[in-house]
Amino acid sequence: MQKGLIYFIVDIDMCPDQKKLPGLFQNWLSVIGCILSVVSFSTILVLFILDLKSQQVNPYLGIVTYMIAPTLFAVSLLLIPVGVLLERQRRRKGGHGAHFPVFDFNNPVHQRRAYIIIGLSTVFLIFLMVVTYRAYEFTESVTFCGQTCHQVMNPEYVAYQNSPHARVACVDCHVGSGVGSYVRSKLAGTQMVYSVIFNKYHRPVETPIKNLRPAQETCEKCHWPRQFFGAVEKDKQYFLSDEKNTPWTNHMLMLVGGGVPPYGQRGGIHWHMNLSNKIYYITTDKKRQVIPWVKVVHADGQEEIYVDKESKFTADKPPKGEMRRMDCMDCHNRPSHGFKVPFVAVNEAMAFGAIDKDLPFIKREAVKALEADYPSQGVAASSIKKSLEEFYMKKYPEIWRQKKDFIVKTVQSVVEIYQQNIFPDMKASWKEYPNNIGHMVFPGCFRCHDNKHQSAQGKVLSQNCTICHIIIKQGTPGAMEGSPDGVPFHHPDGDDDSWKQMNCVDCHSGS
Ligand code: HEC
Ligand code: HEC
Ligand code: HEC
Ligand code: HEC
Ligand code: HEC
Ligand code: HEC
């Protein structure tokens, strides 16, 4: 024991006066500290090599390698000097004048030990630096954010993987760059770990997120706001709820311009992002869906205030609450966690063939099955399967017999839509997270552009259909109308009056 490895490395207590006494390191606490640090260090080493070798990052391996084992290691290292100090105090009380070790470089034994210690420490420090860097990378990884506390982040993680930003790391939008953001996010993260361990988190996770970085530090690092110009083509395919699932096409050009000359033309949707004018607003609800008060500061410094004339507020009596400068996320609030509304997801799946559009009433039945309330994804899967298969078995036995395989495949696609968009355990779905792009299912653009927000000069925020997009083609196959200059909107169900009297959300609120 006396000549053991631990003793060799740590016993530099060679004070000649103290020869009779064992070294200060020889106390239980320090010895346990030594053993634990060797064990935890070897664990880190082995796991680190495993982690480097594995192709995929494993969240649990990462947590043990970069969080639990290093913490254990640090605590064990700390035990060693604490043991020495306690031992010294104990000896002093016992009347032995315990000194600190005397180190003599003229003594070849001391010299050799010093080289060993310095050499080992250097190797060790370099290793520690590499591990620390990997730990930093790990805590910034999508795996860490999306998969470690699996249940809580699962809805966002699943939706994210099906989004245009599936290759953008969570931290690029949620943390931003710079040391300040890193530290802030890790502090917030500690509080989150607490709320997960003690089951104190909100279901669903509440938005808007209060400490999200402004878009200038996140979105605008990749998307250049000066550079928006022209129009983007959107090809929307719908299927009505009749027996034939009648198709309806809406082909439109979204006027996404709004940059700054000479980079892009001035007008268009991204006008809001024009760097020379600023838009501020105040909401009266938590989810920022009701916006009675809007202020524009034009390039020349002139202010213009628009107030919802049906509200009780006026230009100089704004609602109480935070005045927010509009940025990308006020429209693109679901850039990577879009929980699709059932009818939208079913239309898409029918358009690209995952759902068989020749099955009678499949649009109506699939949407109905997806909109029902289920306690869990498991129950949803079996209930959706049961209700859809029974529908065809009972109502269309002939088709069920002929196309059973197609029906089973279609039903599986409907179940997949549920699994990717609706998460009962976290209460996450389109019902909780409105999407502010558009105006059909959620108020979106019409929160301000409702013909009711008026300025002192009598200007209104227009709902004129052609300021944001032009419809270049619409209708059902065989009865299409279109023109490159745009055609007036026709409502697919043939009712061309109601939509002029009411807002789209009054009828289309998600179901
Ligand atoms: C392209 C940018 C972007 C990326 C990438 C991104 N998010 Fe988000 N995330 C947002 C925005 C914007 C919101 C909504 C913020 C708001 O409404 O205040 C949000 C909201 C959330 C919320 C709150 C709940 C909700 O659904 O609104 C969670 C949780 C979340 N993100 C987790 C993640 C995780 C985990 C990842 C990586 C797997 C990730 N995010 C990647 C932009 C992003
Ligand atoms: C790390 C770079 C990066 C960041 C940060 C980022 N994006 Fe993107 N974004 C991209 C890339 C790359 C694409 C194109 C993806 C493709 O087409 O495959 C994209 C696509 C988009 C699109 C077009 C989606 C579509 O359906 O075509 C929108 C809108 C968008 N981003 C908005 C945002 C917003 C809002 C934020 C901030 C919350 C943001 N982005 C942050 C890189 C980024
Ligand atoms: C007033 C609301 C609004 C704001 C603010 C806004 N956008 Fe958009 N953006 C839209 C709409 C509407 C579209 C059309 C496409 C669609 O419907 O998805 C769009 C399209 C885009 C596209 C795809 C179009 C293309 O040219 O390829 C990107 C990328 C994008 N926005 C990024 C951003 C970024 C980054 C910001 C912040 C600097 C921003 N947007 C601010 C409403 C907005
Ligand atoms: C917070 C309120 C608000 C929201 C939400 C909003 N806008 Fe606006 N928008 C404004 C204001 C204010 C103006 C400027 C009116 C003026 O002074 O001429 C404007 C102007 C516009 C213009 C005209 C720009 C030009 O060429 O002069 C377009 C296009 C537009 N918005 C599109 C959209 C779209 C699309 C959305 C939804 C994705 C949207 N807006 C959401 C407040 C808003
Ligand atoms: C302030 C801008 C703005 C105005 C005004 C506006 N729209 Fe839209 N509209 C949008 C945006 C943004 C979308 C979403 C496009 C997308 O989903 O990518 C949209 C989508 C649509 C869609 C497709 C619906 C969907 O989600 O599938 C239709 C149809 C439509 N608009 C018709 C109209 C009609 C009719 C009017 C006039 C009453 C109108 N819009 C006025 C901005 C506007
Ligand atoms: C008075 C109620 C009402 C209003 C207001 C209304 N709609 Fe509709 N809408 C309907 C009905 C009913 C259908 C038929 C649904 C079906 O057959 O699946 C429909 C179908 C649609 C469809 C086809 C969607 C699908 O998958 O079946 C689109 C697109 C649409 N409406 C757009 C709009 C837009 C854009 C507005 C606002 C400008 C609007 N609607 C306002 C009642 C309304």
Side-chain angles (χ1 to χ4, degrees):
M1 174 71 186
Q2 288 267 323
K3 292 264 177 289
L5 175 72
I6 297 163
Y7 176 75
F8 172 72
I9 295 176
V10 300
D11 183 45
I12 50 169
D13 191 5
M14 298 287 285
C15 176
D17 307 343
Q18 307 261 319
K19 266 282 180 223
K20 298 133 271 158
L21 281 177
L24 278 176
F25 283 94
Q26 293 189 16
N27 65 78
W28 279 114
L29 210 55
S30 301
V31 171
I32 291 175
C34 277
I35 297 175
L36 280 183
S37 29
V38 171
V39 171
S40 49
F41 180 77
S42 336
T43 314
I44 299 176
L45 194 68
V46 173
L47 291 180
F48 180 66
I49 294 169
L50 274 182
D51 185 36
L52 281 189
K53 280 191 147 184
S54 74
Q55 297 293 325
Q56 269 185 331
V57 197
N58 176 328
Y60 303 106
L61 182 63
I63 287 188
V64 177
T65 322
Y66 301 117
M67 304 181 111
I68 298 179
T71 313
L72 187 68
F73 182 52
V75 171
S76 344
L77 279 186
L78 210 68
L79 285 183
I80 302 173
V82 168
V84 168
L85 287 179
L86 289 178
E87 177 67 17
R88 188 165 161 263
Q89 221 168 29
R90 199 181 59 79
R91 287 188 192 178
R92 278 203 161 161
K93 274 196 188 139
H96 306 282
H99 296 287
F100 279 111
V102 172
F103 201 87
D104 180 6
F105 248 104
N106 294 315
N107 181 333
V109 179
H110 284 198
Q111 225 179 59
R112 203 174 53 238
R113 287 187 179 170
Y115 290 141
I116 292 175
I117 290 171
I118 292 171
L120 282 179
S121 309
T122 312
V123 171
F124 173 70
L125 277 181
I126 292 175
F127 176 73
L128 211 64
M129 266 153 59
V130 176
V131 170
T132 313
Y133 183 69
R134 276 291 290 178
Y136 164 79
E137 275 191 336
F138 172 67
T139 57
E140 295 281 281
S141 72
V142 170
T143 311
F144 177 71
C145 305
Q147 283 180 295
T148 43
C149 32
H150 188 77
Q151 193 204 359
V152 188
M153 290 296 132
N154 188 45
E156 282 73 26
Y157 182 62
V158 171
Y160 159 89
Q161 288 171 310
N162 300 313
S163 83
H165 290 108
R167 290 286 177 276
V168 174
C170 318
V171 292
D172 284 345
C173 292
H174 284 281
V175 179
S177 49
V179 181
S181 314
Y182 182 77
V183 173
R184 255 196 307 269
S185 80
K186 291 299 167 264
L187 288 179
T190 320
Q191 194 226 327
M192 278 178 226
V193 171
Y194 162 81
S195 57
V196 170
I197 292 175
F198 295 100
N199 200 1
K200 287 217 151 64
Y201 51 92
H202 271 275
R203 296 181 182 78
V205 179
E206 280 185 320
T207 46
I209 304 174
K210 293 198 188 66
N211 54 4
L212 207 65
R213 309 301 307 139
Q216 289 83 350
E217 290 173 29
T218 53
C219 321
E220 292 183 18
K221 292 269 186 242
C222 298
H223 299 281
W224 195 21
R226 288 162 178 265
Q227 197 59 301
F228 289 113
F229 58 85
V232 182
E233 201 173 332
K234 290 261 166 186
D235 183 6
K236 303 250 180 195
Q237 292 287 341
Y238 309 99
F239 297 87
L240 299 186
S241 303
D242 52 5
E243 185 173 18
K244 290 205 300 260
N245 311 304
T246 307
W248 181 274
T249 299
N250 187 344
H251 217 90
M252 49 191 199
L253 294 182
M254 300 297 305
L255 309 174
V256 291
V260 189
Y263 304 106
Q265 93 262 30
R266 209 185 298 261
I269 294 172
H270 288 102
W271 175 89
H272 303 78
M273 289 296 99
N274 193 333
L275 305 161
S276 47
N277 48 258
K278 303 184 181 74
I279 300 180
Y280 298 88
Y281 70 83
I282 306 179
T283 59
T284 52
D285 71 319
K286 266 188 166 170
K287 293 195 174 167
R288 298 185 185 147
Q289 294 301 295
V290 184
I291 304 183
W293 196 92
V294 183
K295 178 165 86 177
V296 187
V297 182
H298 291 280
D300 55 9
Q302 283 247 327
E303 286 191 359
E304 216 171 352
I305 294 173
Y306 293 89
V307 187
D308 179 351
K309 59 187 178 201
E310 287 174 9
S311 74
K312 57 179 196 245
F313 306 106
T314 59
D316 31 284
K317 274 215 199 88
K320 289 197 190 73
E322 176 207 9
M323 176 143 53
R324 194 180 141 78
R325 162 118 193 246
M326 196 171 179
D327 72 21
C328 317
M329 284 173 261
D330 288 301
C331 297
H332 299 281
N333 66 332
R334 315 296 311 161
S336 79
H337 323 295
F339 301 119
K340 285 182 188 152
V341 182
F343 90 87
V344 175
V346 172
N347 279 334
E348 279 177 15
M350 290 174 76
F352 62 71
I355 291 181
D356 182 357
K357 53 181 185 284
D358 296 329
L359 288 177
F361 283 122
I362 183 64
K363 166 74 187 300
R364 188 188 73 185
E365 292 303 311
V367 171
K368 201 161 85 187
L370 287 168
E371 279 175 353
D373 279 329
Y374 306 102
S376 69
Q377 288 210 334
V379 175
S382 51
S383 312
I384 291 172
K385 198 161 154 8
K386 185 159 171 275
S387 70
L388 286 181
E389 289 184 357
E390 270 178 9
F391 176 80
Y392 290 103
M393 257 184 254
K394 288 197 181 130
K395 299 272 166 60
Y396 296 93
E398 186 61 16
I399 294 181
W400 170 255
R401 213 170 41 74
Q402 286 167 2
K403 300 184 76 171
K404 187 165 176 242
D405 288 350
F406 284 100
I407 296 178
V408 170
K409 246 168 81 186
T410 285
V411 170
Q412 188 48 37
S413 302
V414 178
V415 169
E416 274 165 26
I417 291 180
Y418 193 94
Q419 286 167 344
Q420 287 173 4
N421 296 290
I422 301 165
F423 303 83
D425 50 350
M426 279 304 294
K427 297 200 172 67
S429 74
W430 90 95
K431 290 179 195 159
E432 295 297 335
Y433 297 114
N435 186 338
N436 294 334
I437 287 276
H439 50 76
M440 184 168 159
V441 186
F442 305 103
C445 312
F446 289 3
R447 290 174 297 167
C448 298
H449 294 268
D450 60 355
N451 285 338
K452 289 183 206 148
H453 283 65
Q454 209 167 41
S455 72
Q457 291 80 31
K459 253 171 84 179
V460 291
L461 291 183
S462 167
Q463 209 178 63
N464 183 343
C465 309
T466 53
I467 64 165
C468 305
H469 47 62
I470 49 178
I471 297 173
I472 49 176
K473 206 159 119 193
Q474 71 183 349
T476 58
M480 287 286 187
E481 52 168 349
S483 148
D485 299 326
V487 290
F489 174 65
H490 281 305
H491 194 262
D493 78 340
D495 176 358
D496 261 341
D497 283 323
S498 312
W499 69 267
K500 290 181 182 148
Q501 320 301 329
M502 295 152 82
N503 270 335
C504 319
V505 280
D506 295 337
C507 298
H508 287 288
S509 60
S511 28

